[in-house]
Amino acid sequence: MAADDSSLHILYPHWQNEYAAALVELDRQKLPERVVASEAAIFNRLHQMSQSSDHEAERLAIEDALAALRVLKRDELGFPDWEKSSREK
């Protein structure tokens, strides 16, 4: 297996580069900045895609990425678990 085979495969470079950078960031001081950049890239891509009904696979990948970012923010940055809070109401 080549070294490249174990890295995240980038299908959607408009946002996945920033997302991958957030996932692998080990410096807790830099992590919030990486997460914000990732979310901004995803938001910008969603805005670009809003005029089209295409891109279903990418939309699903974005949903998964946003879920993973929520977990990262909760577990590594101490953000509240908003999904848990809304289920308790």
Side-chain angles (χ1 to χ4, degrees):
M1 176 186 271
D4 297 59
D5 293 342
S6 63
S7 63
L8 180 65
H9 184 65
I10 303 296
L11 294 175
Y12 311 111
H14 289 98
W15 58 271
Q16 276 187 323
N17 291 319
E18 294 291 344
Y19 171 65
L23 291 182
V24 300
E25 182 59 66
L26 300 176
D27 184 336
R28 290 182 59 99
Q29 299 299 317
K30 294 180 182 177
L31 184 57
E33 177 182 322
R34 296 279 192 192
V35 169
V36 167
S38 177
E39 290 174 330
I42 289 171
F43 173 79
N44 288 335
R45 183 60 180 148
L46 285 170
H47 182 69
Q48 290 171 350
M49 293 171 20
S50 68
Q51 302 303 315
S52 171
S53 61
D54 296 339
H55 312 288
E56 188 61 31
E58 185 173 4
R59 289 179 200 279
L60 293 173
I62 285 173
E63 286 181 28
D64 290 344
L66 290 173
L69 287 172
R70 277 193 301 275
V71 170
L72 184 67
K73 288 164 57 174
R74 182 193 68 211
D75 294 352
E76 298 298 325
L77 299 175
F79 278 55
D81 187 348
W82 296 111
E83 287 184 350
K84 181 180 176 185
S85 298
S86 66
R87 287 188 301 244
E88 291 176 351
K89 291 181 181 180

